[in-house]
Amino acid sequence: MADNLSDALKKLKLASADSTTDSVESCLDCLLKALAHNNADASEKFQEMGILPLLPTLLAPQSSCTPKVANIIAEVAKNEFMRSPCVEAGLIPPLVQLLHSKDHEVLLQTGRALGNICYDSHEGRSAVDLAGGAQIVAGHIKSLSQNTDPDNGKLLTVFCGMLMNYSNDNDSLQAQLINMGVIPTLVKLLGLHSDNTALTEMCLIAFGNLAELESSKEQFASTNIAEELVRLFQRQAEHEKKEMIFEVLAPLAENDESMQKLFEGGKGSVFQRVLSWVPSHNHQLQLAGALAIANFARNDGNCIHMVESGIVQKLLELLDRHVDEGNVTVQHAALSALRNLAIPVVNKAKMLSAGVSDTVLKFLPSEMPPVQFKLLGTLRMLIDTQADAADQLGTNGKLVERLVEWCEAKDHAGVMGESNRLLSALIRHSKSKDVVKTVIQGAGVKHLVVMATSEHMIMQNEALVALGLIAGLDLVGAEKDFVGAGLVQVLHKLLSDEMSAPEVKYNSMVIICAVMGSEPLHKEVQGLAFIDVVSKLRSHENKTVSHQASLTEQRLTAQS
């Protein structure tokens, strides 16, 4: 084979000089055979014998050899080491010129050649950009998109693949394609050619690449992409393809523009179809439904409408089916949806009376941090401003015990933070002595003291308000834990730190006043020079802080 190849290459050199078509044609057949036998070796030989620079002259639009020459270039460019040489040999301008041809085979092979040269090659892409190749290909795709003839489908797949290789991982070239308006064209293709597996796959990969760019969001929003994707999703049997569709839907779902368009006040056909997935028996569809609801639930208006339309019941039934041996991703998605729906105040009581907290508590035994995290967030959203619910959950010994356990989940900062916040929220929203007793018995006090030293001001403050309530409602019961956790030392540090927020200073002083009724804590307060720190705060610019400083100073001097 090697000798035949060398002969053919030599002949080609001679034949290209006097351009006798027949002899060139037989040489080309021989080269294609060699490439099919061992592409890398044959390509190397091409390189050694300097064949690439001869090819531009053979790419004449009228020549019958042209499709074969373009095919050879496409095959050679499958090798990474051949892409730059193809550019240096000046092959790009004549190939781009061939894109004006009317011949189907010429277009097909030219599209393949350009696509392969662009694959992972900066030089290839720059040369095609310079020669204006992408515009011509985008124009072809647009004019061919209506034609559903199978041959045409193959050409469309090659052209879409070429644009994908051209723009992959390159923001400026992706932006160029978006400006050319390829998104609406590709969406049309998806709708008209959904039976063509290779083409739909190309479109999906292209969408995945383009959907990351901010500038694509408006174009996507002006098309019916979500409806097409949803339709395609329902027709898929393969798990991998479903995942691909999902990966495109996800970044689009984060864009309120397109989501609102689909939601259409809860009457949108896509939204209605998504709802019908939640009760299905297919995990992928259930997941898609729950995730879409979580994404639609991005603003109060949508959340209120969805709760009124009875979505909560569907989600609870879905969760019930996944309690034992459940699918973690479905659990996570359904809990995310419930958490988002619970944000508007008007939804909280409705969701509580629908039994959301009871269903969510069934997942307390879960050992999966993502599920634990969403479970905690959902309960925290539900009890916000809801005293009765906070009281009921806060006196649930099993829940408090699990929260205390999760407050020590050092490997999962998210779960740890959410557990602390929920523990504090149960006390803050219930203001109940029974809840405080349950937290003391469950050994939760020390965690709230640690939470008061958090780097997040919101968490510091939530902890301090809860600690103030504990001190006010059951100082005797909490005394030992306060001493053991070093509460007084923490408060002294917070008050001395100039960076502490005014609310933190105010709440720390409230606790100081409250713990003066306990002998061991009173002694600790006296042992640290609180009076100096507090008297400085009397001149604090924040009136609430300065007023509380005066009250605290009086309390400290009266009892010293």
Side-chain angles (χ1 to χ4, degrees):
M1 187 57 111
D3 294 342
N4 290 356
L5 177 59
S6 300
D7 289 347
L9 290 170
K10 280 179 195 150
K11 275 185 196 156
L12 183 64
K13 271 189 154 174
L14 296 168
S16 64
D18 67 1
S19 61
T20 46
T21 306
D22 293 348
S23 55
V24 169
E25 196 107 22
S26 64
C27 293
L28 294 176
D29 288 335
C30 186
L31 300 191
L32 281 167
K33 235 185 224 156
L35 284 164
H37 177 67
N38 186 332
N39 191 321
D41 283 0
S43 298
E44 225 165 277
K45 198 92 176 154
F46 273 39
Q47 194 46 342
E48 280 167 26
M49 293 190 67
I51 295 300
L52 292 178
L54 308 175
L55 300 182
T57 50
L58 296 174
L59 286 170
Q62 276 71 43
S63 162
S64 59
C65 299
T66 300
K68 280 183 185 166
V69 177
N71 186 0
I72 287 169
I73 297 169
E75 289 301 316
V76 164
K78 285 179 177 175
N79 303 287
E80 193 182 343
F81 66 88
M82 292 298 282
R83 289 173 202 145
S84 292
C86 283
V87 176
E88 286 153 18
L91 296 178
I92 302 290
L95 282 170
V96 168
Q97 282 312 305
L98 289 176
L99 289 171
H100 296 294
S101 166
K102 297 278 181 283
D103 183 292
H104 180 273
E105 188 60 20
V106 169
L107 288 174
L108 190 71
Q109 299 302 346
T110 304
R112 283 184 62 233
L114 289 170
N116 290 353
I117 292 172
C118 284
Y119 186 77
D120 257 354
S121 160
H122 174 68
E123 295 82 2
R125 291 168 184 176
S126 301
V128 172
D129 180 20
L130 201 64
Q135 286 86 336
I136 304 168
V137 170
H140 274 306
I141 295 175
K142 199 169 186 175
S143 59
L144 293 169
S145 60
Q146 305 295 329
N147 180 343
T148 52
D149 172 38
D151 273 357
N152 185 48
K154 192 163 182 204
L155 188 52
L156 278 169
T157 307
V158 165
F159 280 159
C160 287
M162 182 253 156
L163 287 187
M164 208 177 67
N165 287 354
Y166 171 71
S167 65
N168 191 27
D169 278 340
N170 185 315
D171 285 0
S172 65
L173 294 180
Q174 286 176 353
Q176 182 193 79
L177 294 184
I178 291 167
N179 292 338
M180 284 178 206
V182 300
I183 290 176
T185 307
L186 291 174
V187 174
K188 246 187 226 130
L189 278 188
L190 199 62
L192 291 168
H193 299 263
S194 53
D195 295 332
N196 183 333
T197 317
L199 184 56
T200 50
E201 212 153 287
M202 280 295 176
C203 289
L204 287 174
I205 298 169
F207 289 143
N209 289 346
L210 299 173
E212 297 298 325
L213 281 193
E214 244 346 275
S215 56
S216 73
K217 303 284 196 307
E218 271 175 47
Q219 277 209 23
F220 275 124
S222 68
T223 68
N224 62 340
I225 178 154
E227 286 154 71
E228 294 295 1
L229 289 172
V230 166
R231 222 183 6 247
L232 197 63
F233 190 92
Q234 288 189 298
R235 295 178 50 185
Q236 291 313 314
E238 304 161 48
H239 184 74
E240 277 76 27
K241 198 70 161 288
K242 282 189 160 153
E243 293 274 308
M244 275 176 87
I245 297 171
F246 219 79
E247 276 164 23
V248 179
L249 268 174
L252 292 178
E254 283 165 19
N255 175 34
D256 287 344
E257 225 173 332
S258 49
M259 270 300 164
Q260 281 310 100
K261 191 165 174 284
L262 299 179
F263 188 67
E264 288 173 33
K267 296 180 179 62
S269 57
V270 173
F271 178 67
Q272 292 302 326
R273 193 175 297 163
V274 159
L275 286 196
S276 69
W277 295 348
V278 177
S280 95
H281 291 290
N282 173 323
H283 283 183
Q284 278 294 107
L285 281 177
Q286 293 168 357
L287 176 62
L291 276 177
I293 292 170
N295 278 311
F296 281 122
R298 289 290 178 94
N299 62 48
D300 283 8
N302 287 6
C303 290
I304 292 165
H305 182 91
M306 284 197 274
V307 168
E308 281 169 358
S309 71
I311 260 181
V312 171
Q313 215 38 57
K314 287 187 172 179
L315 289 168
L316 295 183
E317 284 160 13
L318 175 62
L319 278 170
D320 270 329
R321 288 153 65 186
H322 284 274
V323 173
D324 306 309
E325 299 299 308
N327 180 306
V328 175
T329 20
V330 174
Q331 292 171 0
H332 183 259
L335 288 168
S336 295
L338 287 172
R339 182 197 175 279
N340 291 1
L341 291 171
I343 293 172
V345 176
V346 291
N347 281 357
K348 297 181 197 290
K350 289 179 183 169
M351 290 175 72
L352 285 163
S353 59
V356 171
S357 58
D358 298 337
T359 302
V360 171
L361 286 173
K362 291 177 186 172
F363 294 90
L364 263 188
S366 172
E367 290 304 331
M368 304 309 272
V371 173
Q372 297 166 352
F373 181 71
K374 286 295 176 191
L375 168 154
L376 293 162
T378 306
L379 291 177
R380 189 164 64 78
M381 283 302 158
L382 279 172
I383 63 164
D384 195 359
T385 70
Q386 307 295 308
D388 291 347
D391 199 336
Q392 198 186 347
L393 287 170
T395 49
N396 176 334
K398 268 213 168 67
L399 169 63
V400 172
E401 191 183 310
R402 193 74 163 129
L403 291 183
V404 170
E405 195 183 310
W406 286 338
C407 283
E408 291 166 2
K410 299 265 189 297
D411 297 343
H412 300 288
V415 172
M416 195 162 99
E418 277 291 339
S419 307
N420 278 304
R421 293 189 77 184
L422 181 53
L423 205 52
S424 149
L426 292 169
I427 297 169
R428 288 183 297 113
H429 296 301
S430 69
K431 301 183 175 55
S432 141
K433 190 166 183 172
D434 290 336
V435 172
V436 167
K437 269 195 161 42
T438 312
V439 172
I440 294 171
Q441 281 164 0
V445 174
K446 62 173 187 249
H447 294 295
L448 293 170
V449 175
V450 173
M451 182 182 170
T453 64
S454 162
E455 63 216 35
H456 303 292
M457 194 273 284
I458 289 178
M459 285 178 73
Q460 278 186 337
N461 220 33
E462 287 174 357
L464 291 168
V465 173
L467 290 166
L469 284 162
I470 294 172
L473 291 166
D474 192 358
L475 183 57
V476 176
E479 184 180 76
K480 215 163 98 206
D481 290 333
F482 279 166
V483 173
L487 171 67
V488 173
Q489 290 76 2
V490 166
L491 296 172
H492 187 271
K493 200 168 169 218
L494 290 173
L495 286 171
S496 313
D497 184 354
E498 285 180 10
M499 301 304 287
S500 293
E503 306 87 308
V504 169
K505 294 201 152 110
Y506 169 81
N507 285 315
S508 298
M509 288 188 281
V510 168
I511 300 172
I512 290 296
C513 294
V515 300
M516 295 296 277
S518 146
E519 199 184 327
L521 292 164
H522 185 178
K523 266 195 186 138
E524 288 192 352
V525 170
Q526 282 180 319
L528 290 164
F530 266 91
I531 201 107
D532 304 346
V533 184
V534 171
S535 58
K536 276 186 197 151
L537 292 173
R538 274 176 33 206
S539 56
H540 195 280
E541 58 188 4
N542 183 301
K543 290 286 166 279
T544 320
V545 172
S546 56
H547 179 63
Q548 185 60 40
S550 302
L551 294 176
T552 309
E553 190 180 30
Q554 285 165 23
R555 189 76 200 267
L556 288 168
T557 42
Q559 289 196 285
S560 61

